[in-house]
């Protein structure tokens, strides 16, 4: 075990300060009574009250939440299916092309992805709105889910599935009753990753959204261009709190699921 040195402590402190100090300052100034975001004028929560009365921000937040939940759910289903095929199907004709198409959004610039999806939607005559944003977010976040789930499937003990099949389960029942509960932590992690990417996306949503569907990042970006409003600090603080609570909750659920899956594996091995 390596000992902590002054160099390591200093590097770690500077790294965490670079990452989290701006967010801490943002949270502090969200309670600033002054309209100037850089001048402290006392503690106040009035910007939170005004934020919840700003219908434009509320509408954009509702659109963003709906898009994130639906797209992350679709991305998790499709990404899990793709991961299962890549890990369990072995060598098949077109595997290289299939894998390349799955992983392409990982390295593709978001501008190129957004522009190509825009041209696709225009070409098929699909009006831009919530549906097109959901399709776009599902397309680029599915690959992240497949990476997370496939890494878990690689280390999965297939003898558990074989035992379930020998006991009379169908392949679907074996997957639903044995495989899925064990890889559930990876599936949940993939869903959270897709949800976060959708919640944070600005570039692709800018290409694929329409006048009736404005996401929260787009609304914040358009507001910041006209000047930083203290309500944006309050909104960002609420988003940080929601993400923090979600990450902690998901970590606890994943940890509990991992312990339960390990206990199930050990019980199955003993039997």
């Amino acid at each position: 075990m390596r000992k902590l040195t002054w160099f390591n402590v200093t590097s770690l402190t500077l790294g965490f300060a670079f990452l989290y100090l701006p967010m801490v300052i943002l949270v502090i100034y969200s309670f600033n009574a002054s309209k100037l975001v850089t001048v402290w004028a006392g503690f106040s929560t009035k910007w939170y009250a005004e934020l919840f009365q700003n219908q434009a921000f509320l509408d954009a937040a509702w659109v963003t939440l709906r898009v994130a939940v639906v797209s992350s759910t679709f991305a998790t289903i499709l990404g899990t299916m793709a991961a299962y095929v890549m890990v369990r199907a072995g060598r098949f004709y077109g595997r290289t092309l299939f894998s390349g198409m799955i992983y392409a959004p990982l390295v593709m610039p978001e501008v190129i992805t957004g522009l190509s999806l825009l041209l696709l939607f225009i070409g098929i005559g699909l009006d831009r709105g919530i549906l097109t944003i959901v399709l776009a977010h599902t397309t680029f976040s599915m690959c992240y889910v497949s990476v997370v789930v496939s890494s878990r499937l690689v280390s999965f003990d297939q003898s558990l599935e074989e035992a379930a099949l020998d006991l009379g389960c169908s392949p679907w029942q074996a997957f639903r009753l044995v495989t899925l509960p064990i890889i559930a932590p990876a599936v949940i992690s993939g869903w959270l990753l897709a949800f976060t990417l959708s919640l944070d996306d600005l570039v692709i949503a800018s290409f694929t959204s329409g006048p009736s569907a404005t996401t929260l990042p787009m609304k914040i970006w358009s507001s910041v261009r006209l000047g930083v409003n203290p309500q944006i600090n309050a909104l960002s603080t609420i988003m940080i709190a929601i993400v923090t609570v979600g990450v902690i909750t998901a970590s606890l659920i994943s940890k509990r699921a991992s312990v339960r899956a390990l206990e199930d594996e050990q019980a199955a091995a003993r039997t």
Side-chain angles (χ1 to χ4, degrees):
M1 182 176 181
R2 295 183 179 180
K3 295 182 179 180
L4 289 177
T5 62
W6 284 108
F7 177 77
N8 292 336
V9 173
T10 303
S11 301
L12 188 64
T13 302
L14 292 177
F16 278 114
F18 177 79
L19 291 174
Y20 296 107
L21 187 59
M23 288 189 288
V24 173
I25 295 175
L26 183 146
V27 172
I28 293 174
Y29 274 89
S30 67
F31 298 99
N32 186 14
S34 174
K35 191 173 183 179
L36 300 176
V37 294
T38 57
V39 178
W40 182 260
F43 181 85
S44 176
T45 58
K46 65 178 183 179
W47 303 118
Y48 289 88
E50 292 188 8
L51 173 64
F52 285 106
Q53 295 176 357
N54 191 326
Q55 193 61 40
F57 276 123
L58 294 178
D59 293 340
W62 177 236
V63 170
T64 301
L65 184 61
R66 284 189 295 169
V67 169
V69 171
V70 176
S71 64
S72 58
T73 302
F74 286 154
T76 301
I77 296 173
L78 296 175
T80 302
M81 294 170 60
Y84 194 86
V85 169
M86 287 187 295
V87 174
R88 296 296 179 83
R91 303 296 301 180
F92 58 89
Y93 183 76
R95 174 185 170 85
T96 303
L97 178 61
F98 179 76
S99 301
M101 293 177 65
I102 292 295
Y103 295 136
L106 287 170
V107 296
M108 189 75 67
E110 290 187 347
V111 174
I112 302 300
T113 303
L115 181 60
S116 60
L117 289 171
L118 172 62
L119 295 177
L120 172 65
F121 296 146
I122 293 176
I124 63 178
L126 184 61
D127 294 333
R128 285 177 291 166
I130 294 180
L131 177 59
T132 55
I133 302 177
V134 168
L135 294 176
H137 284 188
T138 302
T139 300
F140 84 86
S141 60
M142 181 183 68
C143 59
Y144 294 91
V145 178
S146 64
V147 170
V148 175
V149 176
S150 61
S151 64
R152 180 65 183 92
L153 284 172
V154 168
S155 60
F156 180 79
D157 187 4
Q158 297 189 32
S159 63
L160 299 175
E161 282 187 354
E162 295 174 357
L165 294 173
D166 290 339
L167 293 174
C169 288
S170 64
W172 165 245
Q173 289 176 330
F175 175 80
R176 181 172 58 88
L177 299 176
V178 177
T179 306
L180 188 59
I182 296 176
I183 67 172
V187 175
I188 295 173
S189 299
W191 188 92
L192 288 172
L193 181 58
F195 180 83
T196 303
L197 291 171
S198 176
L199 205 67
D200 182 63
D201 177 66
L202 172 64
V203 178
I204 295 178
S206 300
F207 282 96
T208 57
S209 63
S212 60
T214 301
T215 62
L216 194 56
M218 295 172 58
K219 184 63 180 178
I220 293 175
W221 170 246
S222 62
S223 300
V224 169
R225 293 178 63 185
L226 301 177
V228 179
N229 191 318
Q231 294 182 25
I232 296 178
N233 290 343
L235 177 61
S236 301
T237 301
I238 294 174
M239 293 180 65
I240 291 173
I242 293 174
V243 171
T244 302
V245 172
V247 169
I248 294 175
T249 304
S251 299
L252 295 176
I253 295 174
S254 298
K255 184 177 181 180
R256 183 175 299 178
S258 299
V259 172
R260 186 177 300 174
L262 181 60
E263 293 175 352
D264 294 339
E265 288 183 358
Q266 294 175 351
R270 287 194 297 267
T271 57

